[in-house]
């Protein structure tokens, strides 16, 4: 079947079987392998994408459910010059990246949080990451990176404001 949706800001039409997951569609049909497959059953968050402004586990979304939606994957998160954005830079500078499999989902969880709550408390950041598992970092550096990004964006907003 044909599925039409917006992917990282661009409209696309893709022909796909109706019974595959959005994760499979993204990785296998569209070659966007930044979205990672961990558990495949909705428990780890490594496959997270932003769908209509909300973080979802793409392994639990059927590809046809994407029809008409706006999806952002990690490939859609970058600075205007194509390099890492401020969130990604903060993950690097805070040492929040080890093996990396959770990181696309973590970055997208951070972006989804800041879309709705630009000045989250550390407790709110923890809650926003509740569905994203990391076996390596102990989470503190990830929370630090998201908090620094929020503070940095607020500072930029104030200086423009
Ligand atoms: S691969 Fe989707 S939640 Fe783990
Ligand atoms: S950096 Fe390895 S699982 Fe998070």
């Amino acid at each position: 079947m044909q599925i039409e949706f917006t992917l990282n800001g661009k409209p696309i039409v893709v022909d796909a079987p109706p019974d595959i997951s959005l994760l499979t569609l993204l990785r296998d049909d569209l070659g966007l392998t930044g979205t990672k497959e961990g558990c495949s059953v909705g428990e780890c968050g490594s496959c997270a994408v932003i769908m209509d402004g909300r973080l979802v586990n793409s392994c639990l979304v059927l590809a046809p459910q994407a029809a008409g939606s706006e999806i952002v994957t990690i490939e859609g998160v970058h600075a205007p010059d194509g390099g890492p954005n401020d969130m990604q830079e903060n993950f690097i500078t805070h040492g929040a990246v080890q093996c990396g499999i959770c990181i696309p989902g973590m970055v997208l969880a951070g972006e989804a949080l800041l879309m709705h709550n630009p000045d989250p408390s550390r407790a709110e950041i923890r809650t926003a990451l509740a569905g994203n598992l990391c076996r390596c970092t102990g989470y503190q550096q990830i929370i630090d990176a998201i908090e620094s990004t929020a503070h940095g964006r607020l500072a930029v907003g104030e200086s423009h404001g």
Side-chain angles (χ1 to χ4, degrees):
M1 65 180 292
Q2 290 217 322
I3 305 168
E4 288 186 47
F5 60 106
T6 303
L7 180 59
N8 297 329
K10 296 198 184 98
I12 65 158
V13 184
V14 59
D15 209 7
D19 58 347
I20 63 169
S21 68
L22 176 59
L23 174 62
T24 299
L25 182 77
L26 291 169
R27 286 183 57 89
D28 296 355
D29 294 65
L30 297 170
L32 295 181
T33 54
T35 304
K36 301 302 179 203
E37 181 158 20
C39 65
S40 307
V41 292
E43 288 179 357
C44 74
S46 65
C47 66
V49 301
I50 299 175
M51 183 171 180
D52 292 332
R54 214 165 51 88
L55 195 73
V56 298
N57 287 329
S58 62
C59 68
L60 295 185
V61 176
L62 278 173
Q65 291 177 278
S69 70
E70 287 195 27
I71 307 250
V72 178
T73 69
I74 195 65
E75 288 85 356
V77 178
H78 50 74
D81 67 0
N85 78 350
D86 53 346
M87 180 79 77
Q88 292 159 326
E89 290 285 4
N90 277 318
F91 268 69
I92 297 165
T93 54
H94 286 277
V97 181
Q98 291 188 27
C99 83
I101 191 163
C102 72
I103 298 301
M106 289 290 187
V107 167
L108 288 167
E111 292 290 0
L113 171 64
L114 298 193
M115 276 179 202
H116 302 289
N117 180 359
D119 191 14
S121 66
R122 287 180 75 83
E124 287 170 329
I125 297 172
R126 266 185 197 285
T127 300
L129 299 180
N132 294 74
L133 302 185
C134 177
R135 291 178 187 277
C136 306
T137 66
Y139 299 97
Q140 294 306 319
Q141 300 95 318
I142 292 172
I143 293 165
D144 291 345
I146 295 172
E147 186 178 48
S148 289
T149 306
H151 292 168
R153 289 182 186 178
L154 287 170
V156 170
E158 279 163 20
S159 72
H160 288 171

